[in-house]
Amino acid sequence: MRRALILLFFVVGSLNSQDFYYNFSEGKSYSIAIRSDYRRYKNKKYAGLTSKEYKVIFHANNLENSYKIDGRIYKMEKTLRNQVLSGYLVDEDCSVSYFMNRSGEVKSVKETEYPFLRGAPNFPEKTLSIGDSYFGYGEAVLDIERKYVLPIATQTVYLGKKMLFGSERDYFEIRYSYTRNHGVKEITKTLAMHNVKLYYDNEAKLPSYIEDHFKEEIHHSGDVYRMEGFTLYFYNITDAMNKEEVVRDLSDDLDFGEDDGVVVEKGEEGVVLRLEDLKFKPNTTDLLDIEYDKLDKIYNSLAKIKDKTFLVEGHTAFAGTERERYELSLERAKTIAYYLISKGLDSKRVLYRGRGADEPIAPNDTEENMRKNRRVEITILDG
């Protein structure tokens, strides 16, 4: 009887024990939508509400016991029309590149602010049972006047299963704070506590959602900064894009002629639809009526593409001032983005921005070349 009870205890314990780790696949594309809202105080005076939104799209190459992560991060601003989301304005973007092992340790980060959290969440190289806790170390990006990367200490506890958006996930709670030995002479004191909720997808072997609530007090160069708020991370996994196949299928579906001014081609960030010499009403960002048939055709093709993000970019020829060129390119990109959304494209998957005359595809030396540079490009991003 005693032996049977011991065996039963061992079996039940084994059923409640699991291994956790990061598992990236080379045939997949990964994206993380990040939203951060927090109140800022400087020397006990309210300094405003800060809201930040980011979209990270990346791929992973499998190495021995680790992954090489390469991708791009877009810093965005939510756009509302009549209190309804109408896409995201891209403020800036840059490439990201780093190494991560299966436990979550991050190394060799390119000189960018991402990942904001490095080495957290992390997983131990052992089986976990409900109630198990463990400690770890990592780094976090702190934005005070300038950006610093500070060391952090973490404590994580595994709490079993919990529902998230209608699906069962493994649930962890993490606490972390900055360590004292950060080596930044401008920062003389840090008082911080982050309470993190992590939902882990045991099928994908990756986080699916992270919620970080925090309070920080930072003494920096004689000033005292206090921040209170939260950061949310939404993970998504899709099949990696076959650019050649998408170019072929999209070209066949659109079936534009040479005189229509629409080119479909591979780009660095995805597949690009280049709309050359779109016709607008004089001195406005309003399209001529004849252009809407072209956009309707493009919308019908884009609507068939699931789980990808669309980046709409406006370009101008080299005419007018730099500010005028930027504003014109931005407004024309916005016109196209808004129209595609009004037709039914998911506004959460539409980004837009103006490029001015910074990226010409031809010299601005003839009217024909300037016509080519006056264009809107829609990039189907791989994530």
Side-chain angles (χ1 to χ4, degrees), residues 46-259:
Y46 180 63
L49 176 67
T50 297
S51 295
K52 298 180 180 180
E53 300 215 25
Y54 301 87
K55 179 96 170 185
V56 187
I57 298 174
F58 64 91
H59 299 87
N61 292 319
N62 291 332
L63 305 175
E64 186 176 357
N65 298 320
S66 66
Y67 305 96
K68 176 67 163 54
I69 307 295
D70 290 292
R72 202 157 196 87
I73 181 170
Y74 300 87
K75 183 179 179 181
M76 311 177 303
E77 178 182 329
K78 185 184 297 183
T79 304
L80 299 177
R81 297 182 74 191
N82 300 321
Q83 302 303 310
V84 177
L85 178 64
S86 297
Y88 292 88
L89 169 63
V90 176
D91 289 331
E92 57 184 281
D93 69 301
C94 66
S95 61
V96 296
S97 183
Y98 56 93
F99 294 89
M100 174 188 281
N101 65 18
R102 286 163 58 90
S103 296
E105 182 182 3
V106 173
K107 293 183 178 180
S108 302
V109 179
K110 184 181 175 181
E111 289 302 315
T112 62
E113 60 183 301
Y114 187 82
F116 306 131
L117 271 178
R118 304 168 187 182
N122 67 314
F123 302 108
E125 295 181 357
K126 66 176 183 178
T127 299
L128 292 178
S129 299
I130 295 174
D132 283 351
S133 64
Y134 55 94
F135 297 89
Y137 295 94
E139 295 176 323
V141 175
L142 174 66
D143 189 357
I144 295 289
E145 301 300 333
R146 50 162 289 198
K147 292 180 174 64
Y148 300 94
V149 179
L150 300 185
I152 60 173
T154 67
Q155 181 181 11
T156 305
V157 58
Y158 172 52
L159 295 172
K161 304 291 185 180
K162 194 170 184 178
M163 298 301 292
L164 173 71
F165 309 137
S167 299
E168 190 177 67
R169 295 288 184 258
D170 288 285
Y171 178 66
F172 296 77
E173 289 187 355
I174 307 166
R175 290 187 176 185
Y176 77 85
S177 58
Y178 303 114
T179 63
R180 293 181 179 180
N181 56 335
H182 50 69
V184 180
K185 64 180 181 179
E186 296 92 343
I187 298 177
T188 56
K189 185 178 182 180
T190 61
L191 297 171
M193 180 52 66
H194 288 247
N195 294 302
V196 181
K197 299 176 181 179
L198 164 65
Y199 294 82
Y200 178 89
D201 185 339
N202 204 17
E203 183 177 343
K205 295 297 182 185
L206 288 171
S208 57
Y209 175 69
I210 297 174
E211 189 175 302
D212 179 359
H213 293 263
F214 59 86
K215 291 183 179 180
E216 298 184 339
E217 183 179 300
I218 310 296
H219 295 238
H220 177 277
S221 299
D223 294 312
V224 179
Y225 296 86
R226 185 161 60 90
M227 285 80 69
E228 299 179 7
F230 63 85
T231 302
L232 310 178
Y233 300 79
F234 301 85
Y235 289 72
N236 189 45
I237 307 171
T238 61
D239 290 330
M241 180 189 296
N242 183 322
K243 293 182 183 179
E244 291 82 1
E245 184 177 300
V246 173
V247 168
R248 183 183 66 248
D249 292 346
L250 200 55
S251 299
D252 291 344
D253 193 40
L254 290 170
D255 194 27
F256 281 119
E258 292 184 5
D259 297 332

Side-chain angles (χ1 to χ4, degrees), residues 195-381:
N195 294 302
V196 181
K197 299 176 181 179
L198 164 65
Y199 294 82
Y200 178 89
D201 185 339
N202 204 17
E203 183 177 343
K205 295 297 182 185
L206 288 171
S208 57
Y209 175 69
I210 297 174
E211 189 175 302
D212 179 359
H213 293 263
F214 59 86
K215 291 183 179 180
E216 298 184 339
E217 183 179 300
I218 310 296
H219 295 238
H220 177 277
S221 299
D223 294 312
V224 179
Y225 296 86
R226 185 161 60 90
M227 285 80 69
E228 299 179 7
F230 63 85
T231 302
L232 310 178
Y233 300 79
F234 301 85
Y235 289 72
N236 189 45
I237 307 171
T238 61
D239 290 330
M241 180 189 296
N242 183 322
K243 293 182 183 179
E244 291 82 1
E245 184 177 300
V246 173
V247 168
R248 183 183 66 248
D249 292 346
L250 200 55
S251 299
D252 291 344
D253 193 40
L254 290 170
D255 194 27
F256 281 119
E258 292 184 5
D259 297 332
D260 290 319
V262 177
V263 178
V264 183
E265 60 188 5
K266 291 192 299 181
E268 183 177 340
E269 299 174 46
V271 171
V272 181
L273 280 77
R274 190 168 73 243
L275 285 62
E276 297 178 349
D277 197 27
L278 282 172
K279 296 177 176 60
F280 292 83
K281 296 176 182 178
N283 303 316
T284 74
T285 57
D286 298 328
L287 283 166
L288 292 178
D289 292 342
I290 59 173
E291 297 291 355
Y292 285 107
D293 288 342
K294 184 186 300 182
L295 287 181
D296 288 344
K297 204 170 183 180
I298 289 172
Y299 162 74
N300 289 333
S301 292
L302 295 182
K304 300 174 185 177
I305 299 173
K306 307 301 181 184
D307 301 321
K308 299 298 181 185
T309 301
F310 306 104
L311 173 61
V312 183
E313 297 177 291
H315 300 264
T316 68
F318 195 81
T321 67
E322 181 177 359
R323 185 65 188 175
E324 289 170 340
R325 293 192 295 269
Y326 169 74
E327 290 180 351
L328 180 61
S329 66
L330 174 61
E331 290 303 316
R332 289 185 169 179
K334 187 189 298 185
T335 295
I336 304 304
Y338 281 6
Y339 183 73
L340 294 174
I341 291 170
S342 74
K343 293 292 292 182
L345 217 56
D346 184 358
S347 59
K348 295 179 182 178
R349 297 196 289 138
V350 178
L351 318 180
Y352 68 90
R353 66 176 163 197
R355 288 293 201 178
D358 293 342
E359 296 185 359
I361 57 174
N364 284 285
D365 54 0
T366 66
E367 181 55 39
E368 174 64 18
N369 283 341
M370 293 178 74
R371 181 188 66 79
K372 292 179 180 179
N373 290 329
R374 289 191 294 266
R375 68 196 191 279
V376 172
E377 294 180 346
I378 303 172
T379 302
I380 305 166
L381 301 174

